[in-house]
Amino acid sequence: MAGGDGSASVDVGFAGWAALSESTIRRRCSIAEALGVVAIQLGLKKICTPKPRTQRSNEPARSPLRWEQRLFLIPEGESKVSMAKDSRVPNAATFSILKEDHTLANMLRMQLLKNPKVLFAGYKVPHPLEHMFILKVQTTPDTTPMDVFNTELNNLMNEISSIKLKFENQLTLHGIEGGRRL
């Protein structure tokens, strides 16, 4: 059937939509896809097939996970903490901690430096978009970096628990629970 403007029109079989031009159908189809409407309901299956998305050369690969999941979930087969002994420096090791940032890295570094058996503790974040940090630790010859790391990690957790307990005690002392006065 020819439209009033000389273009071919198609009957979509949808109530209220009589013969429309192909360009109008394409325009409405893209709007329908943007709104999540299934084009098959409109009888536009052949015209409204979505174009395959091409990946740009500088674009990172798409992940099926949401951004929050990519930030916090550790991929299968990988561990949260891994250790590699340093071959050039005696009693030194490099720890890679996944899905953490400067917050934990700096607290852990400062906790390690409190220990007199630690000669060096420093960290770096390889890239701001990579959610991991690398911690380098060197100890005195009478201990290993792994022993000091485990000890100071437990000390840090105890210190944080103590601060949390003191904070909760002050809240109950002042009659505040869950951000509201009792």
Side-chain angles (χ1 to χ4, degrees):
M1 176 198 298
D5 57 353
S7 63
S9 57
V10 178
D11 183 11
V12 295
F14 186 72
W17 285 20
L20 299 174
S21 69
E22 187 175 340
S23 62
T24 305
I25 291 172
R26 287 185 192 277
R27 191 171 47 251
R28 288 189 182 178
C29 180
S30 64
I31 293 170
E33 285 175 352
L35 297 175
V37 177
V38 178
I40 296 171
Q41 292 176 345
L42 303 177
L44 304 175
K45 184 176 181 182
K46 291 181 182 174
I47 296 173
C48 265
T49 55
K51 296 176 188 172
R53 188 178 183 283
T54 58
Q55 186 172 349
R56 296 182 186 107
S57 62
N58 62 349
E59 181 181 30
R62 296 264 180 203
S63 172
L65 300 175
R66 295 182 55 188
W67 69 270
E68 299 97 345
Q69 293 171 325
R70 286 191 304 255
L71 285 178
F72 302 114
L73 294 180
I74 298 170
E76 287 187 35
E78 292 187 33
S79 62
K80 177 97 173 163
V81 180
S82 61
M83 184 193 96
K85 288 193 171 198
D86 196 336
S87 60
R88 293 180 283 170
V89 181
N91 292 338
T94 302
F95 297 91
S96 296
I97 293 96
L98 299 178
K99 305 299 181 186
E100 296 295 340
D101 59 2
H102 290 283
T103 307
L104 179 64
N106 198 34
M107 286 193 301
L108 195 51
R109 179 185 67 90
M110 292 302 296
Q111 189 70 31
L112 284 164
L113 289 173
K114 289 179 184 178
N115 190 326
K117 294 181 179 183
V118 174
L119 301 175
F120 173 81
Y123 78 92
K124 71 176 181 175
V125 176
H127 191 274
L129 296 177
E130 289 182 39
H131 302 287
M132 69 171 293
F133 66 89
I134 297 170
L135 179 72
K136 294 198 179 263
V137 179
Q138 183 182 10
T139 61
T140 57
D142 60 328
T143 187
T144 64
M146 181 59 100
D147 292 339
V148 172
F149 181 81
N150 286 333
T151 303
E152 294 306 322
L153 189 60
N154 287 329
N155 290 345
L156 182 62
M157 288 190 300
N158 291 337
E159 190 174 325
I160 291 172
S161 297
S162 171
I163 292 170
K164 181 182 175 189
L165 183 63
K166 289 176 185 177
F167 181 74
E168 289 171 348
N169 288 341
Q170 287 297 315
L171 285 178
T172 55
L173 180 68
H174 293 290
I176 300 172
E177 186 176 315
R180 297 181 182 179
R181 290 212 176 256
L182 295 175

